[in-house]
Amino acid sequence: MKIVAGCDVGSLTSKAVIMKDGKIIGSSIIKSKPRPKDSADAALEAALKNSGILKDDIAYIIGTGYGRDKIGFVDEVVSEITCHGIGARWLLPTVETVIDIGGMDNKAISVQDGIPGTFTMGGICAGASGRFLEMTAKRLGVDITELGPLALRGMGREVPMNSYCIVFGTQSLVNALAAGSSPEDVAAAACHSVAEQVFEQQLQEVDIKEPVIMVGGTSLIQGLVKAMGDLLQVEVVVPHHSQYIGAVGSALLASGFIKGS
């Protein structure tokens, strides 16, 4: 089978994967740049370097994500919902529900045999998104990768916080810290608040069935995954390569566009 690639340009991060025979041979995840085109170029360049192949070796490339229409090198662009559905089945073949809490919007998708069924996409405010968690980490003086373990050590329900609005959510953060709440409790409260907003605003519209997976960059924040599992009262699975779901789905779709492959 020929080599294919997928590129997912998101608001916070951009991802690229290069696949051959249904396996990832190169990948990258970078912080998104002001211009989506620059983000895509940098992500693909890093994935190529990681794989040890040349761009000319790639037979077909599909782009997705909010910045997909600005990617200059792709052969085609496809919606995030479609790519997530395809990618989800590769990540976990038995998957039934996909939850992606992104930097700009959130997605909840029911999946059957890799085909998206009912879904919701959006979010009323950035307070119910990865941006609020990024802001929380900054306020606590820790890297976003440290927020998850910190939250697991805290008691979130002991700290009043409502991230329905990112302005009020930030005020809650400041007030909680000033009142003497521990960083662990504040981190746990922030994770619970984001999960609760997504649960109330979007997950009521999707028939939640197990297995449930969380994907995207925020799926690596363990405190958020735990909070979502507690609210749904199910085990939430974070599969390997979860942050690459859109790019993986794009690459898998790309393989179907190659004649004779």
Side-chain angles (χ1 to χ4, degrees):
M1 184 179 287
K2 295 182 180 178
I3 299 172
V4 295
C7 185
D8 179 5
V9 178
S11 60
L12 289 182
T13 61
S14 295
K15 289 76 63 177
V17 300
I18 300 170
M19 301 184 77
K20 182 179 181 181
D21 299 329
K23 296 180 180 179
I24 295 176
I25 62 171
S27 63
S28 73
I29 180 167
I30 65 164
K31 188 175 180 62
S32 289
K33 301 176 183 295
R35 297 198 311 166
K37 180 183 181 302
D38 295 337
S39 299
D41 289 344
L44 182 64
E45 182 179 351
L48 286 169
K49 184 176 181 180
N50 181 261
S51 68
I53 67 169
L54 300 175
K55 184 175 180 294
D56 289 343
D57 295 329
I58 301 175
Y60 208 89
I61 307 176
I62 286 181
T64 193
Y66 99 99
R68 61 185 179 272
D69 292 327
K70 303 297 182 182
I71 306 175
F73 55 76
V74 296
D75 297 291
E76 188 164 345
V77 296
V78 178
S79 76
E80 296 148 87
I81 298 299
T82 298
C83 290
H84 272 55
I86 298 295
R89 192 180 185 190
W90 186 87
L91 293 175
L92 183 67
T94 58
V95 65
E96 292 280 347
T97 309
V98 181
I99 300 173
D100 181 359
I101 300 176
M104 180 175 288
D105 56 36
N106 308 316
K107 307 171 192 68
I109 312 167
S110 63
V111 179
Q112 292 184 334
D113 297 326
I115 300 173
T118 58
F119 68 89
T120 65
M121 182 174 177
I124 295 176
C125 177
S129 74
R131 285 197 182 278
F132 182 70
L133 297 176
E134 190 177 57
M135 182 179 297
T136 299
K138 187 175 293 186
R139 285 280 180 179
L140 294 176
V142 300
D143 188 80
I144 188 66
T145 59
E146 301 173 72
L147 187 66
L150 197 67
L152 289 178
R153 300 197 298 271
M155 300 292 290
R157 296 184 183 275
E158 306 212 350
V159 179
M161 189 171 297
N162 185 346
S163 67
Y164 183 83
C165 168
I166 198 166
V167 175
F168 293 143
T170 303
Q171 186 174 354
S172 296
L173 278 172
V174 174
N175 291 342
L177 291 170
S181 295
S182 70
E184 290 84 357
D185 286 350
V186 170
C191 288
H192 175 78
S193 183
V194 169
E196 187 174 50
Q197 299 307 326
V198 174
F199 176 76
E200 292 180 354
Q201 295 170 22
Q202 292 181 263
L203 297 185
Q204 308 302 316
E205 301 177 37
V206 175
D207 186 14
I208 304 295
K209 294 181 179 179
E210 297 184 75
V212 178
I213 67 171
M214 278 188 69
V215 298
T218 59
S219 67
L220 304 182
I221 302 175
Q222 300 99 314
L224 180 62
V225 177
K226 181 181 184 302
M228 185 60 74
D230 290 345
L231 285 167
L232 293 174
Q233 297 186 328
V234 302
E235 179 186 3
V236 175
V237 178
V238 179
H240 191 44
H241 295 308
S242 63
Q243 69 271 41
Y244 292 106
I245 183 170
V248 165
S250 299
L252 291 170
L253 280 169
S255 66
F257 284 89
I258 303 172
K259 294 180 180 180
S261 62

